Amino acid sequence: MAAVDDLQFEEFGDATTSLAANPDATTISIEDPGETPKHQPGPPRGSGREEDDELLGNDDSDKTELLAGQKKSSPFWTFEYYQTFFDVDTYQVFDRIKGSLLPIPGKNFVRLYIRSNPDLYGPFWICATLVFAIAISGNLSNFLIHLGEKTYHYVPEFRKVSIAATIIYAYAWLVPLALWGFLVWRNSKVMNIVSYSFLEIVCVYGYSLFIYIPTAILWIIPQKAVRWILVTIALGISGSVLAMTFWPAVREDNRRIALATVVTIVLLHMLLSVGCLAYFFDAPEMDHLPATTAAPNQTVAAAKSH
Amino acid sequence: MAEAAESPGDPGTATPRPLFAGLSDISISQDIPVEGEITIPMRSRVREFDSSTLNESVQNTIMRDLKAVGKKFMHVLYPRKSNTLLRDWDLWGPLILCVTLALMLQRGSVDSEKDGGPQFAEVFVIIWFGAVTITLNSKLLGGNISFFQSLCVLGYCILPLTVAMLVCRLVLLAELGPINFMVRLFVVIVMFAWSIVASTAFLADSQPPNRKALAVYPVFLFYFVISWMILTFTPQ
């Protein structure tokens, strides 16, 4: 028979007093997702490995995993399960967009802004806006370029909206899927210090596409130099956000594979922007004079051939 | 146990009394009647369980529905804080507006250009899938509006843009030119703003306060796309 003392319930007391008694104990705190946003990861520490830990928030990885497990508890066929992906407030969306526009070297977008609350609102509506921005800007730019020509009949080119939608949504969903699969595969071979969930990767890609919305609108300006400068700036910003997000995830790997991964990510991003520029926006001509001087030559040539 | 309870109106009694014994001594100065009528508030439209609508003439039925639709049109054109659109939602109005808009926006089938304006089906699908997507979005963000109420509001608020389409088609009968374009641009911008104001007046209250902008932005995008289609419509 056990002693009576063993059967007594142990009183734990207040959390603060126990923490004061034993400051190094592991604590788990459940935070309201609406109150977390501006939590900075603490003072930067010395060597590279610890910097990575600080970047990735390894000190609170237990907490984030617990939080992640707590939130998505509904089965996937209920409506509440999908509501957890839209659990963001207006200021959180704005913060994430701001984070994608201003990549600070050394700060990881996922750990700083997403913090285990990936949302699908941002990626979905940023992609939708981008689709219409590209289609409408392309249409407008073509209209302005061909404005003086007599043979040009304006068409709204509605087909291009569906083509743009296919391209953008395929990029925003299939590339993260491939990248996630690749990271999971490498993770099984090499113990990485961080792995992202699929939704976090979708989130990063979605928010990194935001810079292309003003870029697409500015592409209306029919100057080749201006367009290429815009491509470079946009690619620089969003490419650096992506590179800084995924570099810590692959740096433990073989050097060549890590470099190849990051280079592929940036290359695909560049392919998307250059491809959209080439397909939706006609090349601007130098000015309209060659078109009008060519016309009399053509009529003369046509008269001669008769 | 019964002895332990003392009746509340009897502080000074020393002898134990049965439970609730003092209740019969409590008297209320006025008699509050516990009687009345239970009435269910009658809705403005008689529902199908009332068999009297089965025997009415077809004209009555159609006119009743048309009047309801017309009343909602008035609510959209002069948006006030009222719940008519939400309480008595129907999808007739959105259907009429969507079909009218799609008929006017489609390009003629005679010319077979590869890239022209939208076809009837494309406009129809854009409007309805756009409305469904916005409704799903507002529900996922935590709004407390029902699915069909939101569809009803979004569909009815296309009315100003349909009016803009009619005006644009009339203006396009005159000669084309920059003035023509300016007039159409002005009309479409005004009607676009009107649509946004009308739908926001109905939809914004159903969202939690820190997510209002997130729910209103897709509505803005939706009406912007429709306005773009109206503005770029060129007659063949």
Side-chain angles (χ1 to χ4, degrees):
Chain A
M1 183 140 167
V4 177
D5 286 338
D6 291 343
L7 298 174
Q8 287 269 350
F9 186 71
E10 186 179 341
E11 294 293 330
F12 284 105
D14 203 8
T16 50
T17 54
S18 353
L19 200 54
N22 190 7
D24 290 325
T26 311
T27 55
I28 297 168
S29 62
I30 314 290
E31 292 175 359
D32 198 13
E35 294 165 2
T36 50
K38 301 274 188 352
H39 172 69
Q40 294 297 328
R45 277 167 276 170
S47 72
R49 170 65 79 104
E50 284 170 334
E51 258 181 17
D52 279 346
D53 284 348
E54 177 250 343
L55 280 181
L56 307 166
N58 237 9
D59 49 345
D60 61 338
S61 63
D62 293 344
K63 177 166 59 172
T64 52
E65 277 177 22
L66 267 180
L67 273 179
Q70 268 198 342
K71 284 170 54 163
K72 298 170 177 44
S73 55
S74 313
F76 67 91
W77 55 82
T78 58
F79 193 69
E80 284 73 26
Y81 175 74
Y82 297 101
Q83 266 187 324
T84 58
F85 302 140
F86 283 78
D87 194 14
V88 279
D89 293 335
T90 310
Y91 73 91
Q92 280 178 315
V93 173
F94 281 153
D95 277 344
R96 292 175 186 190
I97 291 178
K98 209 172 45 147
S100 78
L101 289 177
L102 307 165
I104 307 172
K107 297 287 187 209
N108 187 332
F109 180 77
V110 173
R111 285 299 171 227
L112 192 57
Y113 289 104
I114 299 189
R115 294 190 64 84
S116 85
N117 185 18
D119 70 307
L120 285 180
Y121 177 90
F124 182 78
W125 287 109
I126 290 177
C127 288
T129 312
L130 186 59
V131 163
F132 289 114
I134 287 187
I136 292 178
S137 304
N139 198 299
L140 206 52
S141 148
N142 292 348
F143 171 70
L144 289 176
I145 286 176
H146 298 289
L147 190 49
E149 294 170 16
K150 291 200 186 320
T151 57
Y152 178 72
H153 177 68
Y154 171 73
V155 285
E157 287 177 330
F158 197 71
R159 289 269 171 275
K160 297 208 164 169
V161 172
S162 40
I163 296 175
T166 315
I167 296 176
I168 304 271
Y169 274 102
Y171 180 80
W173 285 87
L174 293 183
V175 172
L177 187 65
L179 190 59
W180 175 75
F182 176 76
L183 284 179
V184 162
W185 173 59
R186 293 311 297 178
N187 209 6
S188 68
K189 298 205 160 189
V190 175
M191 268 317 293
N192 275 336
I193 42 179
V194 69
S195 63
Y196 297 123
S197 74
F198 171 60
L199 282 170
E200 286 173 351
I201 303 183
V202 167
C203 220
V204 172
Y205 263 87
Y207 280 104
S208 74
L209 285 177
F210 179 80
I211 183 72
Y212 286 115
I213 297 176
T215 311
I217 297 177
L218 286 176
W219 274 342
I220 296 178
I221 302 174
Q223 296 293 330
K224 242 183 160 65
V226 170
R227 287 181 177 178
W228 281 102
I229 291 176
L230 287 169
V231 167
T232 325
I233 296 176
L235 188 62
I237 294 179
S238 61
S240 63
V241 168
L242 288 177
M244 283 195 292
T245 305
F246 290 107
W247 179 245
V250 292
R251 66 180 285 166
E252 295 305 307
D253 209 345
N254 187 354
R255 199 77 183 175
R256 268 191 257 170
I257 296 187
L259 271 177
T261 311
V262 175
V263 164
T264 312
I265 292 175
V266 175
L267 214 59
L268 281 173
H269 219 63
M270 187 181 73
L271 202 62
L272 176 78
S273 60
V274 170
C276 284
L277 179 61
Y279 184 70
F280 291 101
F281 294 83
D282 285 347
E285 296 151 9
M286 292 311 297
D287 55 356
H288 295 299
L289 279 179
T292 50
T293 51
N297 286 339
Q298 285 172 358
T299 52
V300 166
K304 275 195 190 160
S305 64
H306 273 278
Chain B
M1 284 278 275
E3 296 175 347
E6 276 192 342
S7 57
D10 237 330
T13 313
T15 59
R17 299 179 51 173
L19 204 56
F20 301 127
L23 265 183
S24 53
D25 295 336
I26 299 175
S27 69
I28 309 169
S29 55
Q30 288 174 357
D31 273 328
I32 301 175
V34 191
E35 62 186 27
E37 285 182 3
I38 299 179
T39 55
I40 302 168
M42 290 297 289
R43 302 188 65 166
S44 57
R45 293 165 52 172
V46 185
R47 288 296 166 198
E48 55 265 18
F49 297 124
D50 191 352
S51 62
S52 66
T53 61
L54 272 180
N55 300 327
E56 64 182 11
S57 66
V58 173
Q59 184 190 7
N60 271 358
T61 314
I62 294 182
M63 286 313 295
R64 189 176 58 232
D65 278 335
L66 277 180
K67 279 202 196 111
V69 168
K71 197 162 81 139
K72 292 205 192 61
F73 279 172
M74 284 300 126
H75 275 280
V76 169
L77 285 179
Y78 304 106
R80 290 184 301 267
K81 286 277 178 195
S82 89
N83 276 338
T84 311
L85 242 69
L86 291 178
R87 224 180 25 223
D88 300 327
W89 61 265
D90 74 86
L91 292 179
W92 282 116
L95 182 67
I96 295 174
L97 288 172
C98 181
V99 167
T100 314
L101 197 57
L103 276 175
M104 288 196 286
L105 268 178
Q106 63 168 352
R107 62 170 182 263
S109 57
V110 177
D111 56 277
S112 57
E113 294 178 42
K114 284 187 316 186
D115 272 342
Q119 293 280 15
F120 178 89
E122 286 171 348
V123 178
F124 206 81
V125 159
I126 282 188
I127 293 180
W128 285 104
F129 271 175
V132 165
T133 309
I134 296 176
T135 307
L136 276 179
N137 176 65
S138 78
K139 282 187 80 71
L140 283 169
L141 280 174
N144 59 351
I145 191 172
S146 96
F147 184 75
F148 287 108
Q149 280 172 343
S150 172
L151 278 185
C152 169
V153 168
L154 288 169
Y156 269 104
C157 291
I158 297 183
L159 175 65
L161 288 172
T162 312
V163 169
M165 184 72 215
L166 282 165
V167 171
C168 281
R169 279 213 99 149
L170 289 175
V171 169
L172 279 170
L173 291 175
E175 68 166 76
L176 295 176
I179 307 176
N180 194 311
F181 178 72
M182 282 299 153
V183 168
R184 282 187 291 140
L185 181 68
F186 176 71
V187 166
V188 168
I189 288 180
V190 165
M191 292 302 175
F192 165 65
W194 203 336
S195 280
I196 301 260
V197 164
S199 62
T200 313
F202 293 116
L203 285 179
D205 287 337
S206 68
Q207 288 295 325
N210 50 348
R211 294 182 186 181
K212 276 202 170 51
L214 294 185
V216 167
Y217 171 71
V219 178
F220 171 85
L221 188 64
F222 176 61
Y223 288 129
F224 182 78
V225 169
I226 297 182
S227 313
W228 176 257
M229 286 200 292
I230 291 175
L231 188 59
T232 61
F233 173 77
T234 50
Q236 301 304 328

Short mmCIF file of all heavy atoms in Angstrom, two decimals, chain A residues 3 13 21 30 44 63 66 82 84 88 110 115-116 152 161 172 175 202 204 217-218 222 231 269 276 281 286 300:
data_model
loop_
_atom_site.label_atom_id
_atom_site.label_comp_id
_atom_site.label_asym_id
_atom_site.label_seq_id
_atom_site.Cartn_x
_atom_site.Cartn_y
_atom_site.Cartn_z
N ALA A 3 2.25 5.02 0.40
CA ALA A 3 2.11 5.97 1.50
C ALA A 3 1.06 7.00 1.14
O ALA A 3 0.82 7.30 -0.03
CB ALA A 3 3.46 6.62 1.77
N GLY A 13 1.25 25.68 -7.48
CA GLY A 13 1.34 27.10 -7.23
C GLY A 13 1.23 27.92 -8.49
O GLY A 13 0.94 27.42 -9.58
N ALA A 21 11.39 30.59 -9.13
CA ALA A 21 12.23 29.64 -8.41
C ALA A 21 13.17 28.92 -9.36
O ALA A 21 14.28 28.60 -9.03
CB ALA A 21 11.34 28.63 -7.68
N ILE A 30 0.48 29.70 -24.14
CA ILE A 30 -0.45 29.71 -25.26
C ILE A 30 -0.78 31.17 -25.54
O ILE A 30 -1.33 31.85 -24.70
CB ILE A 30 -1.74 28.96 -24.90
CG1 ILE A 30 -1.40 27.66 -24.22
CG2 ILE A 30 -2.58 28.76 -26.12
CD1 ILE A 30 -0.79 26.65 -25.11
N PRO A 44 20.57 39.75 -31.29
CA PRO A 44 21.36 38.87 -32.17
C PRO A 44 22.58 38.33 -31.44
O PRO A 44 23.23 39.03 -30.68
CB PRO A 44 21.76 39.79 -33.33
CG PRO A 44 21.54 41.17 -32.86
CD PRO A 44 20.56 41.13 -31.76
N LYS A 63 7.02 25.83 -28.98
CA LYS A 63 5.79 26.57 -28.80
C LYS A 63 5.02 26.65 -30.10
O LYS A 63 3.83 26.46 -30.14
CB LYS A 63 6.18 27.97 -28.28
CG LYS A 63 5.01 28.89 -28.12
CD LYS A 63 5.42 30.10 -27.30
CE LYS A 63 6.55 30.85 -27.95
NZ LYS A 63 6.82 32.12 -27.27
N LEU A 66 3.42 23.38 -31.01
CA LEU A 66 2.25 23.11 -30.19
C LEU A 66 1.08 23.95 -30.65
O LEU A 66 -0.05 23.51 -30.73
CB LEU A 66 2.55 23.41 -28.73
CG LEU A 66 3.04 22.22 -27.94
CD1 LEU A 66 3.32 22.63 -26.53
CD2 LEU A 66 2.00 21.12 -27.96
N TYR A 82 -11.18 25.08 -42.71
CA TYR A 82 -10.70 26.06 -43.68
C TYR A 82 -10.73 27.46 -43.11
O TYR A 82 -10.01 28.33 -43.58
CB TYR A 82 -11.53 25.97 -44.96
CG TYR A 82 -11.37 24.63 -45.60
CD1 TYR A 82 -12.34 23.65 -45.47
CD2 TYR A 82 -10.22 24.31 -46.30
CE1 TYR A 82 -12.17 22.40 -46.03
CE2 TYR A 82 -10.05 23.07 -46.85
CZ TYR A 82 -11.02 22.11 -46.71
OH TYR A 82 -10.85 20.88 -47.24
N THR A 84 -9.55 28.23 -40.34
CA THR A 84 -8.28 28.48 -39.66
C THR A 84 -7.24 29.06 -40.60
O THR A 84 -6.26 29.64 -40.17
CB THR A 84 -7.71 27.19 -39.06
OG1 THR A 84 -7.55 26.24 -40.10
CG2 THR A 84 -8.61 26.65 -37.99
N VAL A 88 -6.75 35.84 -40.06
CA VAL A 88 -5.84 36.99 -40.03
C VAL A 88 -6.65 38.26 -39.94
O VAL A 88 -7.76 38.34 -40.42
CB VAL A 88 -4.96 37.07 -41.30
CG1 VAL A 88 -3.80 36.13 -41.18
CG2 VAL A 88 -5.76 36.79 -42.53
N VAL A 110 9.27 34.08 -43.02
CA VAL A 110 8.32 33.13 -42.42
C VAL A 110 8.33 33.25 -40.91
O VAL A 110 7.30 33.36 -40.26
CB VAL A 110 8.68 31.69 -42.84
CG1 VAL A 110 7.82 30.71 -42.11
CG2 VAL A 110 8.50 31.53 -44.32
N ARG A 115 4.91 33.15 -38.61
CA ARG A 115 4.93 32.64 -37.24
C ARG A 115 3.82 31.63 -36.99
O ARG A 115 3.00 31.78 -36.11
CB ARG A 115 4.82 33.80 -36.24
CG ARG A 115 6.02 34.70 -36.30
CD ARG A 115 6.02 35.68 -35.19
NE ARG A 115 6.13 35.03 -33.89
CZ ARG A 115 7.28 34.67 -33.36
NH1 ARG A 115 8.40 34.86 -34.00
NH2 ARG A 115 7.30 34.11 -32.18
N SER A 116 3.83 30.60 -37.83
CA SER A 116 2.90 29.47 -37.71
C SER A 116 1.46 29.89 -37.80
O SER A 116 0.58 29.22 -37.29
CB SER A 116 3.14 28.68 -36.43
OG SER A 116 2.45 29.28 -35.35
N TYR A 152 -5.18 49.66 -86.80
CA TYR A 152 -5.34 48.98 -85.53
C TYR A 152 -6.78 49.10 -85.05
O TYR A 152 -7.34 50.18 -84.96
CB TYR A 152 -4.39 49.58 -84.49
CG TYR A 152 -4.55 48.95 -83.13
CD1 TYR A 152 -4.11 47.66 -82.91
CD2 TYR A 152 -5.16 49.63 -82.10
CE1 TYR A 152 -4.26 47.07 -81.68
CE2 TYR A 152 -5.31 49.05 -80.86
CZ TYR A 152 -4.85 47.77 -80.65
OH TYR A 152 -5.00 47.19 -79.43
N VAL A 161 -7.04 37.00 -70.08
CA VAL A 161 -7.30 36.92 -68.65
C VAL A 161 -7.21 35.48 -68.18
O VAL A 161 -6.58 35.18 -67.17
CB VAL A 161 -8.68 37.51 -68.31
CG1 VAL A 161 -9.00 37.26 -66.86
CG2 VAL A 161 -8.70 38.99 -68.58
N ALA A 172 1.89 29.89 -58.42
CA ALA A 172 1.77 30.12 -56.98
C ALA A 172 1.44 28.86 -56.21
O ALA A 172 1.57 28.86 -54.99
CB ALA A 172 0.70 31.17 -56.72
N VAL A 175 4.72 25.42 -57.93
CA VAL A 175 6.13 25.58 -57.55
C VAL A 175 6.32 25.38 -56.05
O VAL A 175 7.27 24.68 -55.64
CB VAL A 175 6.65 26.96 -58.03
CG1 VAL A 175 8.03 27.22 -57.49
CG2 VAL A 175 6.69 26.99 -59.53
N VAL A 202 3.54 28.26 -49.55
CA VAL A 202 2.55 28.92 -50.41
C VAL A 202 2.40 30.37 -50.00
O VAL A 202 2.31 31.28 -50.83
CB VAL A 202 1.20 28.19 -50.32
CG1 VAL A 202 0.11 29.02 -50.93
CG2 VAL A 202 1.28 26.86 -51.01
N VAL A 204 4.62 32.34 -48.48
CA VAL A 204 5.78 33.15 -48.87
C VAL A 204 5.71 33.49 -50.35
O VAL A 204 5.92 34.63 -50.76
CB VAL A 204 7.09 32.40 -48.56
CG1 VAL A 204 8.26 33.15 -49.13
CG2 VAL A 204 7.24 32.25 -47.09
N ILE A 217 1.46 47.51 -63.36
CA ILE A 217 0.80 48.77 -63.70
C ILE A 217 1.81 49.73 -64.32
O ILE A 217 1.51 50.44 -65.28
CB ILE A 217 0.15 49.37 -62.44
CG1 ILE A 217 -0.93 48.43 -61.94
CG2 ILE A 217 -0.43 50.73 -62.73
CD1 ILE A 217 -1.58 48.88 -60.67
N LEU A 218 3.03 49.73 -63.81
CA LEU A 218 4.03 50.64 -64.37
C LEU A 218 4.55 50.17 -65.72
O LEU A 218 5.15 50.95 -66.45
CB LEU A 218 5.20 50.79 -63.40
CG LEU A 218 4.90 51.64 -62.17
CD1 LEU A 218 6.08 51.64 -61.24
CD2 LEU A 218 4.57 53.06 -62.61
N PRO A 222 5.46 52.77 -72.23
CA PRO A 222 5.99 52.04 -73.39
C PRO A 222 7.45 52.31 -73.68
O PRO A 222 7.83 52.63 -74.81
CB PRO A 222 5.09 52.53 -74.53
CG PRO A 222 4.71 53.91 -74.13
CD PRO A 222 4.65 53.94 -72.64
N VAL A 231 11.66 45.33 -64.14
CA VAL A 231 11.81 43.89 -63.96
C VAL A 231 12.94 43.61 -62.98
O VAL A 231 12.80 42.77 -62.06
CB VAL A 231 12.11 43.21 -65.32
CG1 VAL A 231 12.58 41.79 -65.11
CG2 VAL A 231 10.88 43.20 -66.17
N HIS A 269 11.44 32.50 -60.75
CA HIS A 269 10.78 33.78 -60.52
C HIS A 269 11.05 34.74 -61.67
O HIS A 269 10.16 35.45 -62.14
CB HIS A 269 11.32 34.36 -59.21
CG HIS A 269 10.28 35.04 -58.40
ND1 HIS A 269 9.20 34.39 -57.87
CD2 HIS A 269 10.14 36.33 -58.03
CE1 HIS A 269 8.45 35.23 -57.21
NE2 HIS A 269 9.00 36.44 -57.29
N CYS A 276 5.77 36.98 -68.53
CA CYS A 276 4.57 37.81 -68.54
C CYS A 276 4.81 39.09 -69.32
O CYS A 276 3.95 39.54 -70.08
CB CYS A 276 4.16 38.15 -67.11
SG CYS A 276 3.37 36.78 -66.27
N PHE A 281 2.66 42.13 -73.02
CA PHE A 281 2.95 43.51 -73.39
C PHE A 281 3.69 43.49 -74.71
O PHE A 281 4.76 42.91 -74.82
CB PHE A 281 3.82 44.17 -72.32
CG PHE A 281 3.11 44.33 -71.01
CD1 PHE A 281 3.04 43.28 -70.11
CD2 PHE A 281 2.50 45.52 -70.68
CE1 PHE A 281 2.38 43.43 -68.91
CE2 PHE A 281 1.85 45.67 -69.48
CZ PHE A 281 1.79 44.63 -68.59
N MET A 286 9.80 52.53 -81.54
CA MET A 286 10.57 53.73 -81.17
C MET A 286 9.67 54.95 -81.22
O MET A 286 9.54 55.68 -80.28
CB MET A 286 11.75 53.90 -82.12
CG MET A 286 12.78 52.79 -81.93
SD MET A 286 13.22 52.57 -80.22
CE MET A 286 13.94 54.14 -79.83
N VAL A 300 2.99 52.11 -102.67
CA VAL A 300 3.73 52.21 -103.94
C VAL A 300 4.10 50.82 -104.41
O VAL A 300 3.95 50.47 -105.58
CB VAL A 300 4.99 53.08 -103.75
CG1 VAL A 300 5.94 52.92 -104.91
CG2 VAL A 300 4.58 54.54 -103.59
#
